[in-house]
């Protein structure tokens, strides 16, 4: 299952490492990643492929919510098909 992950918050060391670490633990693969820092605001978008035999969507979402709380950032996980549907004109 492909998903889009959005991360937004105050820039600090370790954000990419923490998010990618959780994804690796849950058997997910990062297909594409884009990140930028605007002044002191960190923004990252990832396209990932979840291995639902290892961890389902809800398990990954819960793990990312814990990381978001620890880092003080916002992390949103969306299924790619729903993401595409939401922005279809």
């Amino acid at each position: 299952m492909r998903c889009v992950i959005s991360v937004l918050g105050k820039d600090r060391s370790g954000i990419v490492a923490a998010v990618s670490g959780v994804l690796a633990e849950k058997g997910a693969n990062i297909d594409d990643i884009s990140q930028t820092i605007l002044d002191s605001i960190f923004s990252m978008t990832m396209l990932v492929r979840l291995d639902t035999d290892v961890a389902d969507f809800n398990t990954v979402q819960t793990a990312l919510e814990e990381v978001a709380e620890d880092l003080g950032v916002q992390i949103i996980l969306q299924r790619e098909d729903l993401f595409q549907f939401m922005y279809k004109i």
Side-chain angles (χ1 to χ4, degrees), residues 20-39:
S20 61
V22 165
L23 294 172
E25 287 174 9
K26 302 301 180 191
N29 186 59
I30 300 169
D31 291 341
D32 202 354
I33 182 173
S34 174
Q35 68 179 42
T36 190
I37 300 169
L38 304 170
D39 196 12

Side-chain angles (χ1 to χ4, degrees), residues 4 6 45 78-88:
V4 176
S6 302
T45 304
Q78 298 174 292
R79 290 173 176 86
E80 183 191 30
D81 55 350
L82 293 177
F83 180 87
Q84 296 288 359
F85 181 76
M86 283 179 14
Y87 296 100
K88 197 175 211 178

Side-chain angles (χ1 to χ4, degrees), residues 1-3 31 48-52 56-57 78-81:
M1 166 190 312
R2 284 174 38 127
C3 296
D31 291 341
V48 302
R49 187 174 309 275
L50 302 185
D51 182 348
T52 54
D56 65 10
F57 181 89
Q78 298 174 292
R79 290 173 176 86
E80 183 191 30
D81 55 350

Side-chain angles (χ1 to χ4, degrees), residues 13-73:
S13 180
I15 296 173
V16 176
V19 174
S20 61
V22 165
L23 294 172
E25 287 174 9
K26 302 301 180 191
N29 186 59
I30 300 169
D31 291 341
D32 202 354
I33 182 173
S34 174
Q35 68 179 42
T36 190
I37 300 169
L38 304 170
D39 196 12
S40 64
I41 299 170
F42 177 85
S43 174
M44 177 170 66
T45 304
M46 305 171 97
L47 183 59
V48 302
R49 187 174 309 275
L50 302 185
D51 182 348
T52 54
D53 291 335
V54 177
D56 65 10
F57 181 89
N58 292 332
T59 301
V60 175
Q61 185 173 39
T62 299
L64 289 173
E65 287 171 355
E66 292 171 6
V67 168
E69 187 173 328
D70 290 345
L71 294 173
V73 299

